[in-house]
Amino acid sequence: QVQLVESGGGLVQAGGSLRLSCAASGRTFINFAMGWFRQAPGKEREFVAAITWPGDNTLYADSVKGRFTISRDNAKNTVYLQMNSLKPEDTALYYCAFRYGSSWATVESYDYTYWAPGTQVTVSS
């Protein structure tokens, strides 16, 4: 059974930084893309960032481009999201997702197979 475990969420002041991590276990993970999505209260889930296998290409939402960086450690089956210059509008529940069986990163949530429970990020003004 696949398990995704997130860490790194929390409360931070505007302008601050957080680093989210998401580790997968339960099967052999090769040739799969990883992504981060978020959902704020009263809003739909939205794409944040994604990274291909083995990690040479990335995608970012316009709202986070230049502030967030996605990376991965394939030896650890782990994806990271470094978030800098955080804004109150970044407040949301952040989810990591794995796209099993495909190395291509996409912005569509329905392309991703496994999802973590979510970790809360709150940015105060």
Side-chain angles (χ1 to χ4, degrees):
Q1 184 175 353
V2 173
Q3 280 193 317
L4 302 182
V5 179
E6 295 168 317
S7 61
L11 174 64
V12 65
Q13 287 189 329
S17 299
L18 284 174
R19 188 192 194 207
L20 304 183
S21 299
C22 179
S25 62
R27 68 184 310 166
T28 301
F29 288 92
I30 58 171
N31 221 26
F32 60 99
M34 301 180 183
W36 288 95
F37 293 78
R38 67 186 182 186
Q39 187 167 17
K43 295 187 177 181
E44 293 188 351
R45 187 175 298 187
E46 65 175 1
F47 169 76
V48 176
I51 187 167
T52 58
W53 171 274
D56 47 339
N57 285 296
T58 56
L59 297 173
Y60 293 96
D62 287 344
S63 59
V64 306
K65 205 170 290 185
R67 300 188 297 122
F68 291 12
T69 302
I70 187 171
S71 60
R72 61 190 293 166
D73 184 335
N74 296 328
K76 297 180 180 179
N77 291 333
T78 299
V79 61
Y80 305 96
L81 186 67
Q82 178 67 43
M83 304 184 294
N84 298 329
S85 303
L86 282 161
K87 305 175 181 179
E89 51 264 44
D90 293 319
T91 295
L93 194 61
Y94 282 71
Y95 301 89
C96 74
F98 281 43
R99 190 183 184 199
Y100 185 74
S102 176
S103 60
W104 295 101
T106 75
V107 304
E108 300 294 347
S109 61
Y110 55 71
D111 284 330
Y112 291 80
T113 315
Y114 300 108
W115 290 80
T119 186
Q120 180 66 38
V121 171
T122 303
V123 184
S124 63
S125 56

